[in-house]
Amino acid sequence: MVKGTYQETPEPPFTLGLEVAGTVTATGPDVDHLAVGDRVAVYGGHGGLAEEGVFDAIRAVRLPDAMTAVEAAGFQIAYGTSHVALDHRARLQPGETLLVLGAAGGVGLTAVEIGKRMGATVIACARGADKLEAARAAGADHLVDAETDDIRESVKALGGADVVYDPVGGDQFTAALRACKPEARILAIGFASGEVPQIKANHLLVKNVSVLGLYWGGYLAFRPQVVTDSLATLIGWYADGKLHPHVSHVLPFERADEGLELLRTRQATGKVVIEMPS
């Protein structure tokens, strides 16, 4: 979004910060499902790195008492993206094999956790021992080191992938495509590598592979019930103790630039949260 290459970029100048958690201080005249004092999380798209914000009330989700503001600030996009992708788009089934690329990142860890929750065998691919340990702790059954292992051969040795969750793109997409089982589904989530893969359509025909795009925020514009239903499921899972959000860094507002640099350099595992002055 900073570089202007994200799929949804506001006209500059604008305030960064995709999602927030906080307390409602005022509501509009037609808002009847929220009240002043309610603790909520909001996906705003931008405007989050501020002490106050004005957001559409329809995007506000009331929080369970047990969920902290830090957990809530990084919950909706990461868990929502993975749940809508795996459940609504890929129709992941119990017993299938799920390959998660970028498995220690903000969305990758939630894909590992949700995939395991849905009954899949999860192969986690990430760079280095520390990131792989985070994926293992989230429930991964098998680990592939993107720095040292041959992704294609490692996944094929494990029987191949029925579903690929790819927030990375680039060469990892190509390797994963070549490790797919017949009728596999590849979820194009994002391009953290900086390289958008160019797919040769004839390669998809050999094994009848499907490539499915997923932009979670896009559903808010044309089919918001998908997001609403997904978040209701996820909040329920959290309340039942079945989800465990991972936040690797919590930084004060004055160090927000450091938080962005952690994302640019792919040093974070899970989410990076910025706290506002009290």
Side-chain angles (χ1 to χ4, degrees), residues 1-269:
M1 188 175 285
V2 170
K3 295 193 298 182
T5 57
Y6 191 57
Q7 56 259 39
E8 183 177 320
T9 302
E11 186 72 24
F14 62 90
T15 300
L16 293 170
L18 287 174
E19 54 184 330
V20 300
T23 303
V24 176
T25 58
T27 62
D30 298 322
V31 176
D32 55 13
H33 70 289
L34 296 171
V36 172
D38 283 350
R39 296 175 62 248
V40 297
V42 180
Y43 168 74
H46 58 95
L49 286 176
E51 293 172 274
E52 289 188 302
V54 180
F55 303 101
D56 289 339
I58 192 76
R59 297 193 176 193
V61 177
R62 191 178 286 106
L63 302 179
D65 292 340
M67 184 177 284
T68 67
V70 168
E71 290 176 321
F75 187 85
Q76 287 192 79
I77 295 175
Y79 279 100
T81 294
S82 293
H83 184 251
V84 171
L86 296 175
D87 183 64
H88 179 72
R89 294 290 281 146
R91 308 294 184 185
L92 179 67
Q93 299 299 308
E96 289 192 313
T97 298
L98 167 66
L99 169 62
V100 180
L101 305 178
V107 293
L109 273 178
T110 63
V112 171
E113 192 175 6
I114 290 173
K116 195 63 182 173
R117 175 79 182 80
M118 293 176 67
T121 297
V122 179
I123 304 171
C125 180
R127 294 184 179 277
D130 290 344
K131 290 188 175 183
L132 287 172
E133 174 57 27
R136 185 205 61 76
D141 298 286
H142 305 285
L143 305 176
V144 176
D145 192 329
E147 287 185 333
T148 60
D149 296 335
D150 183 312
I151 296 173
R152 176 195 180 192
E153 294 304 322
S154 297
V155 175
K156 287 181 69 175
L158 293 168
D162 296 294
V163 175
V164 176
Y165 183 98
D166 179 20
V168 178
D171 291 341
Q172 291 194 29
F173 176 95
T174 303
L177 172 61
R178 298 175 72 184
C180 280
K181 296 180 183 181
E183 294 193 322
R185 292 88 76 199
I186 301 179
L187 291 156
I189 306 296
F191 314 105
S193 67
E195 181 182 345
V196 178
Q198 303 303 301
I199 304 165
K200 294 184 178 180
N202 60 310
H203 289 185
L204 305 180
L205 307 185
V206 177
K207 295 181 181 178
N208 293 295
V209 171
S210 300
V211 178
L212 308 169
L214 188 282
Y215 170 40
W216 181 82
Y219 278 100
L220 294 170
F222 69 89
R223 198 175 172 189
Q225 195 62 42
V226 170
V227 172
T228 301
D229 292 345
S230 172
L231 286 174
T233 296
L234 291 166
I235 292 291
W237 285 353
Y238 175 90
D240 291 341
K242 295 174 180 176
L243 296 179
H244 304 89
H246 179 82
V247 177
S248 64
H249 296 80
V250 181
L251 301 173
F253 185 46
E254 60 268 21
R255 295 173 61 191
D257 278 351
E258 294 179 36
L260 292 171
E261 186 63 19
L262 288 168
L263 300 182
R264 291 189 192 102
T265 56
R266 299 171 66 182
Q267 296 181 56
T269 59

